Amino acid sequence: MTTKKIKLERKIEARGKKISTALRDWFKKRGIYVVNLIGSPGSGKTTLLEAIAPRLKGRAAVIEGDLETDQDKRRIEAAGLPAYQINTISACHLDADMVREAVESLSLEGVRFLFIENVGNLVCPASFEIGEDVKVAVLSTAEGDDKPSKYPVALSVSSAMVITKIDLLPYIKCDPARMEHDGLAVNGGMALFRVAATKGEGIDEFVKWLEAKAASRDAT
């Protein structure tokens, strides 16, 4: 029984990787750069996208992943970006098959950046590829400065760590320098950003990094 289970899991993983690779090739051929945002519930992923929206309006789209409701989708659309909602019901992460179905329903004409806001947690989404070019870990100051050391796998697969809600630092106990130190101890190649999305702080720097990453990929 155990052997059969292992074989089935390997088949599922292989199928997911095959779909992810096909998606990545499809996106690249069309000049679409895909960013997989992973982070805990309340880390500020949607608010980050709302802040990015005016800077990439007409050039970006969003796939929203949540267990229930389309609240975040409606927020993104109100910010000016097209969005597609995936409700996983009980699944703790998006998979490549879900993303493929979303892409078939979402108009990507003229889109340069596709953001995929994964289901809120720092565990499961880190282990699955969904056709993205990069994963970006979103951690807020309100969560505490111990999260990079507690969730090293999420940092190890991320190309950047965005520390959100830095405007709360005068009111909470959090050391962003510790977060950056612990994050770089896991993944020394990560880019680091501190943002206050509701105030627009740090957003331009993050968008410039994304644009540079997209240009670099297209040059290969």
Side-chain angles (χ1 to χ4, degrees):
M1 193 68 178
T2 302
T3 302
K4 290 181 180 179
K5 182 179 179 182
I6 291 172
K7 286 181 178 178
L8 179 59
E9 287 177 346
R10 285 176 178 171
K11 286 182 179 179
I12 293 171
E13 288 174 1
R15 181 174 181 273
K17 189 168 184 61
K18 183 178 180 180
I19 295 172
S20 176
T21 300
L23 277 172
R24 189 175 292 111
D25 292 343
W26 189 89
F27 289 132
K28 185 175 181 181
K29 287 177 182 177
R30 288 157 180 79
I32 301 171
Y33 194 77
V34 184
V35 182
N36 182 3
L37 295 178
I38 62 175
S40 302
S43 60
K45 299 185 296 297
T46 308
T47 304
L48 177 65
L49 290 172
E50 287 175 319
I52 289 170
R55 293 159 173 84
L56 294 178
K57 191 171 183 178
R59 298 194 293 142
V62 178
I63 294 174
E64 284 287 343
D66 277 303
L67 270 68
E68 297 283 355
T69 84
D70 65 347
Q71 294 178 40
D72 290 347
K73 171 182 179 288
R74 287 186 276 117
R75 285 175 58 183
I76 295 302
E77 289 175 334
L81 298 182
Y84 183 89
Q85 182 70 52
I86 298 175
N87 289 129
T88 64
I89 309 302
S90 60
C92 59
H93 63 90
L94 298 178
D95 62 34
D97 215 9
M98 294 176 187
V99 172
R100 181 175 63 178
E101 290 182 14
V103 167
E104 292 173 354
S105 302
L106 181 62
S107 175
L108 296 175
E109 185 69 31
V111 168
R112 173 60 164 158
F113 293 96
L114 176 63
F115 295 92
I116 303 174
E117 183 180 340
N118 220 310
V119 178
N121 74 82
L122 280 170
V123 182
C124 305
S127 300
F128 292 84
E129 293 185 7
I130 51 178
E132 75 272 27
D133 290 288
V134 290
K135 286 184 176 73
V136 172
V138 181
L139 291 83
S140 78
T141 58
E143 295 174 86
D145 51 23
D146 58 352
K147 293 303 175 288
S149 60
K150 284 186 173 182
Y151 297 92
V153 174
L155 280 298
S156 70
V157 297
S158 295
S159 297
M161 178 171 68
V162 178
I163 301 174
T164 62
K165 306 182 185 182
I166 61 168
D167 49 324
L168 296 183
L169 287 175
Y171 314 104
I172 59 177
K173 185 178 180 181
C174 177
D175 181 2
R178 177 192 174 188
M179 298 174 75
E180 292 169 342
H181 174 272
D182 290 350
L184 290 175
V186 174
N187 181 356
M190 277 196 312
L192 302 172
F193 300 93
R194 299 184 187 186
V195 307
T198 57
K199 299 180 182 303
E201 295 177 22
I203 302 300
D204 286 337
E205 290 80 4
F206 181 52
V207 171
K208 287 177 182 177
W209 177 80
L210 290 173
E211 290 176 331
K213 292 287 288 184
S216 177
R217 184 213 55 182
D218 291 347
T220 61

